[in-house]
Amino acid sequence: MSFHQCGGNVGDTVNFPLPAWCLEKAKSSGLLYKSKDGVVAEDCLSLSADNEKIFPSKSGTRTALQCYQDYMTAFLKFMGSHVGNTICELQVGMGPCGELRYPSYMMSNGWNWPGVGLIMAYDSGMLKMLKADTGEAGPPEGFPEDQNAMPDDVPMFRANAPDPASTGFRSGKGKDDGDFLEWYSSVLIKHGRRLSCASPTHRPLPFQVYPPEKFCFSVKVSGLHWHVTHPSRATEACAGYNCCTSETADAYMEIAKMLGAESKTAQRPILFNFTCMEMTNDSNSGVPKALSAPEDLIAQVRKAAIFHQVPLAGENALEFDLATSQWAFTQIGKQIRSFSPGTGPRTGPRCCQRSLDETTKRFRNTLPIPTILSFAS
């Protein structure tokens, strides 16, 4: 279920903006994510719009959450008997690119890998929530002002080897910087809880008539593998994944905990769908400053999913070609252990050539049974 625009991100070759009836209302109400220097992201609605009753409906106005619910209800009703048969999983869009995160890095606004991105909490909706929850008028100073900065270029994320506890991103008494990052992450996870179809605050939906073994939900979490080996985990922090404010901070454990709880409420699985499945820790060794460690990151996510008994699914981060990408298949096959049925490679335009059927067959034969392959270009 896409509640975000297509265009301006990695792999996007077309442009489908948010519909004007919701985009214009969100703009005029300050409910689109905004950076400190005023860059507004039109990728998706701000999570602060979830409960704001400003969007048009047949009977008056509705909240963003009600818009999402109406769309999913209409889809499931229209698909009828295909649900639970042809359609066995529904991935609920949670943010930019459908992922549960903030639009912290924006290619359409000049972002280049491996920049850490920006804090996106300066729109009036997010500032209102911050004030209500913490009493603070805005995020503290010292966060990135250049989305292409490296962690040690940013006062808040700069590592302090002699005294790690004194770094800006660590929480502590009187330190609202680390406390802000904890709030920033927690409201994102609450947004995920609200948007998951399992939420008890949602009115009854058609999915409740389908057996859980035949129809489930999934939530996509972004594999932000760069700067994972920096103490600040700055890229993840800007996107809303707090893994830095204390030695126990682990956004993926919190996300898995939330999905596990909502799955019990829904009485059906909600899959934790993670990316960068084809990457190794050596994939970006040509760019040492990236401090990339996708395999370590996947291991952290796997641990969280196992701990909270949440099914784990995955996909590759970048497009590849069946004919020339045995390396990607090998790595995905390695990572798929303990994953639930369903890893979908994002492949190139040659993926459907009949001459490549044997390549697909060889890959399928290396996978545990049952495994569902979903190919998309």
Side-chain angles (χ1 to χ4, degrees):
M1 297 286 98
S2 296
F3 304 129
H4 61 281
Q5 77 163 9
C6 179
N9 286 300
V10 177
D12 289 345
T13 56
V14 295
N15 184 57
F16 294 106
L18 296 179
W21 61 264
C22 74
L23 182 59
E24 296 308 317
K25 277 287 186 182
K27 275 184 181 178
S28 62
S29 303
L31 297 175
L32 295 174
Y33 293 117
K34 187 167 73 171
S35 69
K36 183 181 180 181
D37 61 358
V39 175
V40 175
E42 297 186 2
D43 299 64
C44 59
L45 299 179
S46 168
L47 63 83
S48 61
D50 283 357
N51 294 309
E52 294 295 323
K53 202 168 185 178
I54 63 168
F55 301 102
S57 71
K58 289 183 179 179
S59 58
T61 57
R62 53 186 171 165
T63 67
L65 276 180
Q66 289 171 329
C67 293
Y68 306 144
Q69 293 165 6
D70 289 346
Y71 185 86
M72 288 186 281
T73 300
F75 174 81
L76 293 172
K77 284 183 176 178
F78 184 80
M79 289 301 169
S81 62
H82 292 294
V83 182
N85 185 6
T86 306
I87 301 170
C88 58
E89 177 187 334
L90 190 150
Q91 187 171 106
V92 182
M94 298 258 172
C97 301
E99 297 167 341
L100 180 61
R101 65 173 176 87
Y102 295 99
S104 53
Y105 54 98
M106 296 169 281
M107 290 187 67
S108 58
N109 191 50
W111 174 80
N112 291 301
W113 185 85
V116 299
L118 301 169
I119 295 293
M120 299 297 288
Y122 293 87
D123 51 281
S124 60
M126 290 292 288
L127 292 175
K128 180 181 176 182
M129 287 179 60
L130 178 62
K131 181 70 173 178
D133 292 345
T134 70
E136 299 294 332
E141 296 296 319
F143 283 118
E145 297 188 13
D146 175 6
Q147 63 179 338
N148 292 314
M150 298 295 104
D152 286 327
D153 298 331
V154 180
M156 192 66 72
F157 293 138
R158 191 172 296 137
N160 189 344
D163 184 13
S166 70
T167 53
F169 52 84
R170 297 279 191 244
S171 289
K173 187 176 181 180
K175 293 181 68 174
D176 57 3
D177 34 27
D179 292 344
F180 168 79
L181 290 174
E182 291 175 353
W183 173 85
Y184 187 62
S185 185
S186 70
V187 294
L188 180 69
I189 293 172
K190 289 175 184 176
H191 168 69
R193 178 177 291 113
R194 288 192 295 268
L195 195 46
S196 71
C197 290
S199 174
T201 62
H202 291 193
R203 63 181 182 272
L205 290 175
F207 74 78
Q208 293 172 340
V209 304
Y210 307 115
E213 68 274 11
K214 292 191 174 183
F215 182 69
C216 68
F217 292 98
S218 67
V219 171
K220 186 177 177 184
V221 178
S222 187
L224 305 180
H225 55 87
W226 57 105
H227 306 304
V228 163
T229 60
H230 190 276
S232 68
R233 307 282 289 263
T235 300
E236 296 159 282
C238 288
Y241 304 156
N242 172 34
C243 294
C244 67
T245 58
S246 73
E247 60 186 17
T248 59
D250 187 339
Y252 309 104
M253 193 67 77
E254 294 300 318
I255 292 170
K257 180 180 179 180
M258 178 270 289
L259 295 179
E262 295 307 306
S263 177
K264 290 177 183 176
T265 303
Q267 297 184 341
R268 69 186 59 247
I270 302 180
L271 279 61
F272 191 132
N273 191 345
F274 200 61
T275 62
C276 70
M277 292 290 294
E278 84 285 17
M279 292 184 169
T280 70
N281 284 354
D282 295 328
S283 294
N284 298 295
S285 57
V287 188
K289 67 179 181 179
L291 300 174
S292 172
E295 290 181 280
D296 295 348
L297 187 56
I298 292 170
Q300 182 179 353
V301 169
R302 180 184 285 109
K303 178 182 177 182
I306 291 172
F307 186 88
H308 288 290
Q309 301 181 56
V310 173
L312 190 57
E315 61 184 63
N316 51 302
L318 301 175
E319 179 184 292
F320 61 78
D321 192 300
L322 288 181
T324 61
S325 302
Q326 185 56 47
W327 57 271
F329 286 119
T330 299
Q331 184 63 16
I332 290 174
K334 172 185 172 183
Q335 290 289 8
I336 206 169
R337 68 189 189 282
S338 78
F339 274 54
S340 66
T343 291
R346 180 185 299 156
T347 58
R350 297 174 60 195
C351 72
C352 295
Q353 291 183 8
R354 188 170 296 277
S355 61
L356 296 176
D357 284 352
E358 190 60 33
T359 302
T360 309
K361 183 178 179 181
R362 284 198 305 270
F363 175 58
R364 187 181 63 233
N365 288 341
T366 68
L367 302 177
I369 298 174
T371 297
I372 301 168
L373 290 181
S374 172
F375 289 91
S377 60

